[in-house]
Amino acid sequence: MASAALKDELDIVIPTIRNLDFLEMWRPFFEQYHLIIVQDGDPSKTIKVPDGFDYELYNRNDINKILGPRSSCISFKDSACRCFGYMVSKKKYIYTIDDDCFVAKDPSGKDINALEQHIKNLLCPSTPNFFNTLYDPFREGADYVRGYPFSLREGVPTAVSHGLWLNIPDYDAPTQLVKPLERNTRYVDMVLTIPKGTLFPMCGMNLAFDRELIGPAMYFGLMGDGQPIGRYDDMWAGWCCKVICDHLGLGIKTGLPYIYHSKASNPFVNLKKEYLGIFWQEEIIPFFQSHNFSKDCTTVQKCYVELSKQVKEKLGKVDPYFLKLADAMVTWIEAWDMLNPPNKDSANDSSK
Ligand SMILES: O=c1ccn([C@@H]2O[C@H](COP(=O)(O)OP(=O)(O)O[C@H]3O[C@@H](CO)[C@H](O)[C@H]3O)[C@@H](O)[C@H]2O)c(=O)[nH]1
Ligand SMILES: [Mn+2]
């Protein structure tokens, strides 16, 4: 189906500090799409992009020029910088992938077109309000099972499609240290909607989302250079997105597609980056679990700004970092709205 390819409605966002030779393997699946490359680290370094790809590339100088003082909300020397790509895109959908993620094979040995599966996930409704025991009811050869309320079978719009990884799983540093040789060889042929009221650990390396439905909540926080924490960029965005999706009646799916994650980053370096996150998340999770949005939070931006106030009030006591993060969340929304002026009758205002 031509429309399902979403060629002109989807951008691929890649954060990188290295040459993008990995694109050669993705060429059959990515070549027709526009890429947004966010070059992290030294802006004077040249990133080589294989011929034949249509792309725009932003380095730190570009980010500072485009956002001015608001560029302070975009992390430096951390994959969190990728969220700048979400902000500058003009498309309805985003797919973001790491440059050490390659095409995986399904059990039949066939190359997996991860982008095609993410598009299917995004174009089909989610079912967060009642669990379908036969998994994704919109999948070929499946349906709602007996006892599933007909009043709920329409489902809700899907905002996020969270893909998984064969080979190097996305483990935290302690787990990586204990299980240095563990590889994920298990291909589970399933797509699940994450139930309403349940949080999940969102990994940014194989992720797609509907930018018009949830884009302003996809802020990857203050990580990396000058920050006390790293590798919690995608986690933070996932927790914010999930509570906002639950409030606005949107869905998040996880499962297929798989990519092949080739490189294990250094567990000792990761431990240093993650340590405070592992400690703080015991307070952060209850904060998100107990958060309720007010009635007038009818758009993602309104939800996000209200959430930032609660972060300042409730998590600021955990550590002054959250005071900075709360301010950066507001700066992010200001920057988002500066680059993407909301039209008057914003299509995504759920009060309409
Ligand atoms: O300073 C940096 C480091 C890396 N990048 C780019 O970001 C991605 C991920 O880098 P890498 O694969 O080396 O790191 P992982 O530990 O495997 O990343 C996963 O952990 C989470 C960390 O946030 C995240 O969900 C996954 O990405 C690559 O494209 C690097 O080139 C960077 O931009 N800046
Ligand atoms: Mn990696």
Side-chain angles (χ1 to χ4, degrees):
M1 256 162 46
S3 61
L6 303 181
K7 288 190 185 56
D8 303 325
E9 297 169 83
L10 182 141
D11 280 338
I12 298 175
V13 174
I14 305 167
T16 193
I17 49 174
R18 45 183 81 102
N19 291 330
L20 296 179
D21 309 328
F22 90 116
L23 285 172
E24 277 309 341
M25 193 175 191
W26 289 103
R27 189 180 289 276
F29 304 137
F30 287 3
E31 200 169 28
Q32 324 93 310
Y33 291 89
H34 181 65
L35 311 181
I36 296 180
I37 299 163
V38 182
Q39 175 183 344
D40 195 15
D42 177 2
S44 65
K45 190 176 164 217
T46 304
I47 296 288
K48 287 201 193 75
V49 183
D51 292 342
F53 286 95
D54 166 54
Y55 70 93
E56 54 198 282
L57 184 142
Y58 297 95
N59 63 28
R60 193 66 208 187
N61 296 335
D62 301 318
I63 295 172
N64 294 340
K65 205 160 116 217
I66 292 166
L67 297 184
R70 293 191 173 117
S71 63
S72 61
C73 75
I74 302 297
S75 298
F76 185 55
K77 294 191 180 165
D78 188 284
S79 62
C81 64
R82 74 174 87 211
C83 61
F84 178 76
Y86 311 157
M87 192 192 278
V88 289
S89 169
K90 294 289 168 247
K91 303 285 177 56
K92 177 167 172 55
Y93 301 99
I94 294 285
Y95 175 53
T96 188
I97 182 170
D98 288 5
D99 60 19
D100 64 344
C101 295
F102 293 85
V103 177
K105 292 189 182 300
D106 70 18
S108 74
K110 186 169 168 265
D111 281 353
I112 297 168
N113 181 346
L115 192 48
E116 184 185 53
Q117 180 65 46
H118 276 300
I119 289 170
K120 271 188 201 153
N121 293 349
L122 290 171
L123 294 183
C124 278
S126 294
T127 56
N129 299 312
F130 199 87
F131 189 79
N132 191 48
T133 50
L134 203 51
Y135 316 118
D136 181 358
F138 296 94
R139 174 150 176 189
E140 201 63 34
D143 210 316
Y144 287 107
V145 294
R146 179 170 54 87
Y148 200 101
F150 281 85
S151 59
L152 295 174
R153 293 196 182 195
E154 201 180 335
V156 301
T158 299
V160 180
S161 170
H162 178 262
L164 297 173
W165 345 271
L166 291 174
N167 193 42
I168 307 286
D170 187 20
Y171 284 166
D172 51 47
T175 308
Q176 234 187 319
L177 284 165
V178 168
K179 301 174 141 185
L181 303 179
E182 185 146 296
R183 296 293 177 267
N184 183 29
T185 57
R186 209 156 50 112
Y187 180 95
V188 179
D189 184 8
M190 181 171 11
V191 176
L192 271 182
T193 295
I194 301 172
K196 184 173 179 177
T198 303
L199 296 170
F200 77 113
M202 185 171 84
C203 170
M205 65 174 122
N206 172 23
L207 181 72
F209 60 91
D210 183 321
R211 196 174 157 278
E212 288 175 4
L213 288 180
I214 199 67
M218 274 287 177
Y219 176 45
F220 274 39
L222 287 175
M223 305 280 151
D225 195 42
Q227 305 301 340
I229 183 173
R231 289 172 56 82
Y232 269 80
D233 49 327
D234 39 8
M235 300 297 144
W236 182 260
W239 296 328
C240 293
C241 283
K242 187 60 172 63
V243 293
I244 291 172
C245 281
D246 285 353
H247 175 71
L248 294 180
L250 302 171
I252 296 185
K253 292 176 181 174
T254 186
L256 299 180
Y258 283 89
I259 49 84
Y260 184 90
H261 185 205
S262 71
K263 191 177 66 59
S265 38
N266 182 307
F268 294 100
V269 172
N270 289 347
L271 187 56
K272 259 173 80 179
K273 291 180 181 177
E274 289 171 16
Y275 164 70
L276 282 174
I278 296 174
F279 182 64
W280 285 342
Q281 70 184 15
E282 297 306 332
E283 312 252 353
I284 297 171
I285 298 302
F287 162 76
F288 280 104
Q289 283 170 330
S290 60
H291 182 78
N292 290 301
F293 289 99
S294 56
K295 254 188 348 320
D296 53 6
C297 283
T298 53
T299 66
V300 178
Q301 282 91 332
K302 289 178 188 169
C303 289
Y304 205 76
V305 170
E306 183 174 280
L307 194 57
S308 74
K309 292 189 179 105
Q310 292 297 303
V311 168
K312 180 165 274 191
E313 190 186 310
K314 297 191 176 141
L315 294 179
K317 299 170 191 145
V318 174
D319 189 278
Y321 168 77
F322 292 101
L323 301 174
K324 262 194 333 179
L325 180 58
D327 290 341
M329 289 168 75
V330 175
T331 306
W332 160 265
I333 292 294
E334 288 168 354
W336 181 282
D337 286 348
M338 179 176 78
L339 297 188
N340 304 278
N343 47 27
K344 280 186 296 308
D345 51 343
S346 155
N348 292 324
D349 187 331
S350 62
S351 65
K352 290 197 170 26

